[in-house]
Amino acid sequence: MNIKEKSLAYFKCFSDKNLEELEKFFSDDIYLRDWDIEEKGIKNVLEANKKIFDNVENINVKPLNIYEQKNFIIAELEILVNDIDKLLVVDIIRFNESLMIDSIKAFKG
C-alpha cells in the first residue's frame, strides 16, 4: 500500500469514527495540529479524535484532491459534519519510513 492509498484508508476510518483502526495508522510519537487542537503522542491524539467523535453525530471526509510528494500527502478535503455543516480543509500528512503517520497538520479553507 502506498501513502496515497494509506491516506484514503485513514480518511475512511476517520469517517467511520473507528479509533481502533485509526490507531493502526499512527506512529507512537504522532503530532496533530489543527485550528483548535495541538497534541503529541498516540494516546493524546487518539483522545483528541475521540472528543471530536463524541461531539458529532456523524462525520464524512471526502477527499477532493490528493497530492503526493515523497513522504507527504497534501489532501484537499470536504468534511461534512452531522449532514449539515460543510468544512473545507487541507491536511498535510507526513509518513515515516515505516509508512506510519507521524504528523497531521490541518488547515481550514
Side-chain angles (χ1 to χ4, degrees):
M1 182 179 296
N2 65 35
I3 63 173
K4 184 174 182 180
E5 293 167 336
K6 197 150 192 178
S7 296
L8 291 170
Y10 161 73
F11 295 136
K12 180 174 182 346
C13 286
F14 193 91
S15 294
D16 292 342
K17 298 171 34 172
N18 188 333
L19 289 171
E20 273 185 38
E21 287 299 311
L22 282 177
E23 184 174 8
K24 296 176 185 177
F25 288 89
F26 298 155
S27 70
D28 289 339
D29 60 346
I30 184 170
Y31 172 73
L32 171 66
R33 184 182 78 204
D34 70 12
W35 52 94
D36 290 325
I37 300 167
E38 185 170 17
E39 294 293 346
K40 182 148 178 76
I42 193 166
K43 180 181 173 196
N44 295 334
V45 170
L46 287 169
E47 184 60 34
N49 280 290
K50 183 180 183 319
K51 286 179 186 174
I52 291 169
F53 299 158
D54 288 348
N55 286 312
V56 299
E57 177 93 15
N58 57 60
I59 190 164
N60 183 26
V61 179
K62 177 182 171 187
L64 303 175
N65 291 297
I66 296 180
Y67 309 95
E68 184 178 347
Q69 180 66 34
K70 295 184 183 179
N71 62 331
F72 284 91
I73 288 289
I74 299 170
E76 293 179 276
L77 308 170
E78 179 182 279
I79 302 175
L80 191 60
V81 179
N82 297 330
D83 298 320
I84 298 170
D85 298 318
K86 181 170 69 171
L87 298 170
L88 295 176
V89 175
V90 173
D91 273 5
I92 301 172
I93 302 173
R94 184 178 68 205
F95 292 82
N96 66 19
E97 63 282 343
S98 301
L99 294 182
M100 303 297 286
I101 297 172
D102 68 4
S103 175
I104 302 169
K105 296 176 183 169
F107 304 90
K108 272 189 194 179

